[in-house]
Amino acid sequence: MKKIYCYCGNVFEADIQDEINLLDNPKIVDQIINNNFMEFKCPACDKVFKPEYKIRFYNDNIDLMMIPEIERDSLLAGSISIESKQVVVGFQELREKFIILKYHYDDRIIELIKLYLLEKTNSKPDIKILFTKKENELLVFNIYGLKEGETGISKIPESIYNSISSNLEERLKEPDIEEFLSLPYRSINKISTEVH
Protein backbone atom coordinates (compact mmCIF):
# COMPACT_ATOMS: atom_id res chain seq x y z
CA MET A 1 0.00 0.00 0.00
CA LYS A 2 1.19 3.48 -0.84
CA LYS A 3 -0.08 6.83 0.41
CA ILE A 4 -1.53 9.29 -2.12
CA TYR A 5 -1.74 12.94 -1.12
CA CYS A 6 -4.68 14.78 -2.71
CA TYR A 7 -4.75 18.51 -3.41
CA CYS A 8 -7.84 18.74 -1.22
CA GLY A 9 -5.72 17.77 1.79
CA ASN A 10 -6.98 14.20 2.03
CA VAL A 11 -4.49 11.32 2.28
CA PHE A 12 -5.58 7.88 1.14
CA GLU A 13 -3.93 4.54 0.52
CA ALA A 14 -3.76 2.68 -2.79
CA ASP A 15 -2.77 -0.92 -3.45
CA ILE A 16 0.24 -0.46 -5.73
CA GLN A 17 2.41 -3.49 -6.40
CA ASP A 18 6.13 -3.36 -7.22
CA GLU A 19 5.86 -6.39 -9.50
CA ILE A 20 2.94 -7.64 -11.61
CA ASN A 21 2.79 -11.14 -13.06
CA LEU A 22 0.77 -10.67 -16.26
CA LEU A 23 -0.09 -14.37 -16.38
CA ASP A 24 -1.97 -13.94 -13.09
CA ASN A 25 -3.35 -10.50 -14.07
CA PRO A 26 -4.08 -10.53 -17.84
CA LYS A 27 -6.62 -7.68 -17.52
CA ILE A 28 -3.75 -5.32 -16.63
CA VAL A 29 -2.62 -5.32 -20.29
CA ASP A 30 -6.05 -4.05 -21.42
CA GLN A 31 -6.00 -1.40 -18.68
CA ILE A 32 -2.59 -0.20 -19.88
CA ILE A 33 -3.64 -0.10 -23.56
CA ASN A 34 -6.96 1.62 -22.70
CA ASN A 35 -5.05 4.19 -20.61
CA ASN A 36 -6.85 3.47 -17.34
CA PHE A 37 -4.15 1.52 -15.50
CA MET A 38 -3.22 2.86 -12.05
CA GLU A 39 -6.12 5.28 -11.68
CA PHE A 40 -7.14 6.06 -8.12
CA LYS A 41 -9.99 8.32 -7.03
CA CYS A 42 -9.74 10.45 -3.92
CA PRO A 43 -12.60 9.34 -1.65
CA ALA A 44 -13.02 12.90 -0.35
CA CYS A 45 -13.23 14.95 -3.57
CA ASP A 46 -13.36 12.36 -6.42
CA LYS A 47 -10.22 13.71 -8.11
CA VAL A 48 -8.57 10.97 -10.18
CA PHE A 49 -4.85 10.37 -9.66
CA LYS A 50 -2.50 8.42 -11.90
CA PRO A 51 0.70 8.20 -9.85
CA GLU A 52 3.84 6.75 -11.43
CA TYR A 53 5.91 4.26 -9.49
CA LYS A 54 8.65 1.87 -10.51
CA ILE A 55 6.77 -1.31 -11.48
CA ARG A 56 8.07 -4.49 -13.09
CA PHE A 57 5.76 -6.40 -15.46
CA TYR A 58 6.57 -9.96 -16.43
CA ASN A 59 5.29 -13.18 -17.97
CA ASP A 60 6.93 -15.89 -20.08
CA ASN A 61 7.82 -13.38 -22.83
CA ILE A 62 8.05 -10.02 -21.05
CA ASP A 63 10.39 -8.63 -18.40
CA LEU A 64 9.69 -4.91 -18.47
CA MET A 65 10.09 -2.21 -15.84
CA MET A 66 8.38 1.16 -15.93
CA ILE A 67 10.45 3.98 -14.45
CA PRO A 68 8.56 7.15 -13.41
CA GLU A 69 8.94 10.09 -15.80
CA ILE A 70 10.63 12.18 -13.09
CA GLU A 71 13.47 9.61 -13.03
CA ARG A 72 14.21 9.87 -16.80
CA ASP A 73 17.40 11.91 -16.31
CA SER A 74 18.66 9.49 -13.65
CA LEU A 75 18.05 6.56 -16.02
CA LEU A 76 19.87 8.29 -18.89
CA ALA A 77 22.74 9.15 -16.55
CA GLY A 78 23.04 5.48 -15.61
CA SER A 79 22.32 6.04 -11.93
CA ILE A 80 19.30 3.69 -11.70
CA SER A 81 19.90 -0.01 -11.21
CA ILE A 82 17.90 -2.07 -13.69
CA GLU A 83 16.54 -5.41 -12.49
CA SER A 84 14.63 -6.24 -15.69
CA LYS A 85 15.49 -7.03 -19.30
CA GLN A 86 13.89 -3.85 -20.62
CA VAL A 87 12.75 -0.48 -19.25
CA VAL A 88 10.33 2.22 -20.33
CA VAL A 89 9.85 5.68 -18.87
CA GLY A 90 6.34 6.73 -17.85
CA PHE A 91 2.86 5.55 -18.77
CA GLN A 92 3.02 6.70 -22.41
CA GLU A 93 6.02 4.52 -23.21
CA LEU A 94 4.56 1.64 -21.20
CA ARG A 95 1.34 1.83 -23.20
CA GLU A 96 3.27 2.00 -26.47
CA LYS A 97 5.24 -1.20 -25.68
CA PHE A 98 2.02 -3.11 -25.03
CA ILE A 99 0.43 -1.76 -28.23
CA ILE A 100 3.52 -2.97 -30.13
CA LEU A 101 3.10 -6.41 -28.53
CA LYS A 102 -0.63 -6.42 -29.35
CA TYR A 103 0.17 -6.12 -33.08
CA HIS A 104 3.10 -8.56 -32.82
CA TYR A 105 5.52 -5.92 -34.08
CA ASP A 106 9.25 -5.76 -33.38
CA ASP A 107 9.97 -2.72 -31.21
CA ARG A 108 13.38 -2.32 -32.89
CA ILE A 109 11.68 -1.64 -36.22
CA ILE A 110 9.17 0.74 -34.61
CA GLU A 111 12.08 2.69 -33.09
CA LEU A 112 13.85 2.87 -36.48
CA ILE A 113 10.68 4.32 -38.05
CA LYS A 114 10.53 6.85 -35.20
CA LEU A 115 14.19 7.74 -35.85
CA TYR A 116 13.26 8.49 -39.48
CA LEU A 117 10.30 10.63 -38.30
CA LEU A 118 12.53 12.46 -35.81
CA GLU A 119 15.02 13.31 -38.55
CA LYS A 120 12.17 14.74 -40.65
CA THR A 121 11.21 17.12 -37.81
CA ASN A 122 14.63 18.82 -38.05
CA SER A 123 15.38 17.26 -34.66
CA LYS A 124 13.66 19.84 -32.51
CA PRO A 125 14.45 19.26 -28.83
CA ASP A 126 11.73 17.75 -26.62
CA ILE A 127 10.04 15.95 -29.51
CA LYS A 128 8.28 12.79 -28.37
CA ILE A 129 7.10 10.20 -30.92
CA LEU A 130 4.85 7.29 -29.95
CA PHE A 131 3.32 4.46 -31.95
CA THR A 132 -0.40 4.49 -31.12
CA LYS A 133 -2.24 2.03 -33.40
CA LYS A 134 -2.54 0.24 -36.70
CA GLU A 135 -5.24 1.63 -39.01
CA ASN A 136 -5.90 -0.55 -42.06
CA GLU A 137 -2.37 -1.05 -43.49
CA LEU A 138 -0.98 2.09 -41.84
CA LEU A 139 1.05 2.48 -38.65
CA VAL A 140 -0.07 5.61 -36.80
CA PHE A 141 2.42 7.67 -34.79
CA ASN A 142 1.65 10.66 -32.58
CA ILE A 143 4.30 13.39 -32.54
CA TYR A 144 4.34 15.70 -29.51
CA GLY A 145 6.31 18.94 -29.29
CA LEU A 146 6.23 20.18 -32.90
CA LYS A 147 3.77 22.94 -32.01
CA GLU A 148 2.67 23.89 -28.52
CA GLY A 149 -0.64 22.31 -27.56
CA GLU A 150 -0.89 20.28 -30.77
CA THR A 151 -0.27 16.63 -31.59
CA GLY A 152 1.13 15.78 -35.01
CA ILE A 153 0.05 12.52 -36.63
CA SER A 154 2.12 10.54 -39.09
CA LYS A 155 0.82 7.47 -40.91
CA ILE A 156 3.45 5.09 -42.24
CA PRO A 157 2.55 2.26 -44.66
CA GLU A 158 3.06 -1.20 -43.18
CA SER A 159 5.13 -1.96 -46.30
CA ILE A 160 7.87 0.30 -44.86
CA TYR A 161 7.83 -1.73 -41.64
CA ASN A 162 8.16 -4.93 -43.71
CA SER A 163 10.99 -3.44 -45.78
CA ILE A 164 12.96 -2.50 -42.63
CA SER A 165 12.23 -5.95 -41.21
CA SER A 166 13.74 -7.65 -44.26
CA ASN A 167 17.10 -5.86 -43.81
CA LEU A 168 17.11 -5.39 -40.03
CA GLU A 169 20.11 -7.66 -39.46
CA GLU A 170 22.11 -5.57 -41.95
CA ARG A 171 21.11 -2.33 -40.15
CA LEU A 172 22.14 -3.82 -36.81
CA LYS A 173 25.72 -4.12 -38.08
CA GLU A 174 25.98 -0.31 -37.96
CA PRO A 175 27.47 0.54 -34.52
CA ASP A 176 25.24 3.61 -34.00
CA ILE A 177 22.08 1.66 -34.82
CA GLU A 178 23.15 -1.31 -32.70
CA GLU A 179 23.75 1.00 -29.71
CA PHE A 180 20.48 2.89 -30.27
CA LEU A 181 18.47 -0.36 -30.30
CA SER A 182 20.28 -1.93 -27.36
CA LEU A 183 18.52 -2.91 -24.15
CA PRO A 184 17.52 -2.13 -21.47
CA TYR A 185 16.20 1.27 -22.67
CA ARG A 186 15.30 0.89 -26.34
CA SER A 187 13.68 4.19 -27.25
CA ILE A 188 14.07 7.14 -29.59
CA ASN A 189 13.45 9.26 -26.48
CA LYS A 190 16.92 8.48 -25.16
CA ILE A 191 18.53 10.25 -28.12
CA SER A 192 15.91 12.75 -29.31
CA THR A 193 17.74 15.69 -27.72
CA GLU A 194 21.10 14.54 -29.10
CA VAL A 195 20.20 14.09 -32.80
CA HIS A 196 21.21 16.98 -35.05
Side-chain angles (χ1 to χ4, degrees):
M1 299 296 276
K2 295 201 178 1
K3 285 185 163 67
I4 296 179
Y5 297 83
C6 185
Y7 303 114
C8 74
N10 187 43
V11 180
F12 63 101
E13 290 193 332
D15 184 14
I16 298 170
Q17 300 168 350
D18 297 328
E19 295 194 349
I20 296 176
N21 182 337
L22 296 171
L23 291 173
D24 296 339
N25 302 281
K27 67 182 187 301
I28 299 278
V29 174
D30 290 333
Q31 290 175 356
I32 292 168
I33 289 174
N34 295 326
N35 223 9
N36 56 15
F37 173 66
M38 290 277 290
E39 286 188 344
F40 302 99
K41 191 183 280 191
C42 173
C45 72
D46 289 340
K47 174 157 181 58
V48 176
F49 284 86
K50 203 170 172 131
E52 287 186 350
Y53 290 97
K54 193 185 288 187
I55 303 174
R56 180 175 165 241
F57 302 85
Y58 65 95
N59 62 20
D60 294 340
N61 305 309
I62 299 167
D63 184 10
L64 178 69
M65 178 169 285
M66 181 185 76
I67 306 285
E69 189 68 51
I70 62 168
E71 294 182 28
R72 177 181 295 278
D73 291 343
S74 299
L75 175 69
L76 295 176
S79 56
I80 292 181
S81 66
I82 309 295
E83 301 107 28
S84 59
K85 182 179 175 188
Q86 191 167 10
V87 297
V88 293
V89 179
F91 283 123
Q92 286 185 318
E93 290 183 16
L94 177 69
R95 180 173 181 261
E96 179 189 49
K97 285 298 181 205
F98 280 102
I99 291 171
I100 291 168
L101 287 168
K102 173 184 168 183
Y103 291 113
H104 305 287
Y105 285 145
D106 185 325
D107 65 346
R108 297 173 299 176
I109 299 169
I110 297 294
E111 294 302 328
L112 284 171
I113 294 171
K114 287 159 64 174
L115 181 62
Y116 163 76
L117 291 172
L118 180 68
E119 288 166 351
K120 284 184 66 166
T121 67
N122 297 322
S123 307
K124 293 176 98 176
D126 301 325
I127 290 281
K128 193 173 221 181
I129 303 171
L130 294 164
F131 171 61
T132 56
K133 62 184 171 181
K134 180 181 171 187
E135 202 172 74
N136 300 319
E137 299 305 308
L138 298 170
L139 280 65
V140 180
F141 293 83
N142 284 1
I143 305 172
Y144 304 93
L146 285 174
K147 290 184 181 171
E148 194 171 332
E150 292 183 23
T151 302
I153 296 175
S154 184
K155 297 182 179 183
I156 304 293
E158 193 173 31
S159 58
I160 290 177
Y161 175 95
N162 295 332
S163 172
I164 296 170
S165 179
S166 66
N167 71 3
L168 181 62
E169 294 310 312
E170 201 60 36
R171 296 289 304 273
L172 289 172
K173 291 177 183 172
E174 300 172 39
D176 288 350
I177 296 296
E178 183 186 33
E179 183 184 346
F180 161 54
L181 295 177
S182 66
L183 293 173
Y185 187 40
R186 179 183 288 156
S187 172
I188 190 70
N189 296 320
K190 73 178 174 185
I191 63 163
S192 61
T193 55
E194 300 168 14
V195 177
H196 301 290

